[in-house]
Amino acid sequence: MNKFLLLLLLPFFVTGQDDLLDGLDIEDDNQVTSTWKSLKVVNFETTKLVAKNEFQVIISHRFGSVENGIDDLFGLDNAVTRFQFVYGVTDWMHLEASRSGFNKTYQLAGKFKLKSQEKQGFPFTISLFTAADFYSALNEELYPGIEFMDRTGATLQFIAARKFSDRFSAQISPTLFHQGFVPVDEQDNTQYALGVGARYKLSNRWSINADYGYHLNRASENNFVNPLSIGVDLETGGHVFQMHFTNAQPMLTNNFLSGGTGDWTEGRFYFGFNLVRVF
């Protein structure tokens, strides 16, 4: 495991200055830029897109709960990994493909920039995120009678963000998502949530980020919890390295909104990080 992490971290130490300007926003006289430095606040998508013709590989780890302490090395023995590939098609659209170890989920997604915040004029940056999921771990051996559509999910998320100052940005994310399979019969397959997120810049390289999602139609018989997450972003040579703690181990939108199991008050939360490599 340690050798694997060293191989992942190596590009951040050997990357030359050619990558320094990759992924930076191009600013005109009236457009507000750098509202966010990464594609996610912590769990929730931001309004930021990958630049046109840029290709990013993102490797995300979310470890097990820290509550068992040294017995499982504070959760490091129970990691969930996501491999994500993102390509900027235009200035206003990027496309994604990923695979997460949680439920062995494959995802195809896209993010679209609808409007940018202006210094004099429109007060928000607005993006739209859409995704289609396939849960390959849901099979007939575990769930007799399961059908193809039961293994699918979909997400539609509207994101409105505002950069209030050079240091502080915030956003709101109304979210509609559908799951073919739900854990309890009383839970509607089509579900609604409202996410909020914020970023405070501590220095030129460091920021602290937090987000929270409120599930609007969770069934009373459903014991999962709303996701609350906090983390830091470190900018290194044109890249962003994210480290965070959250009470929801899944990383895909449908899963962390519907499947959070942690409890901050009982020490049941998860450490994770994202590594980004730009090509």
Side-chain angles (χ1 to χ4, degrees), residues 257-270:
L257 284 173
S258 66
T261 58
D263 188 330
W264 282 93
T265 63
E266 296 182 0
R268 194 164 66 250
F269 53 88
Y270 310 89

Side-chain angles (χ1 to χ4, degrees), residues 5 15 29 66 71 81-82 84 92 108 114 153 155 183 209 231 254:
L5 291 179
T15 297
D29 291 338
V66 304
D71 288 344
T81 303
R82 182 189 184 196
Q84 182 181 5
W92 53 269
L108 296 176
L114 304 182
T155 305
N209 296 4
N254 281 16

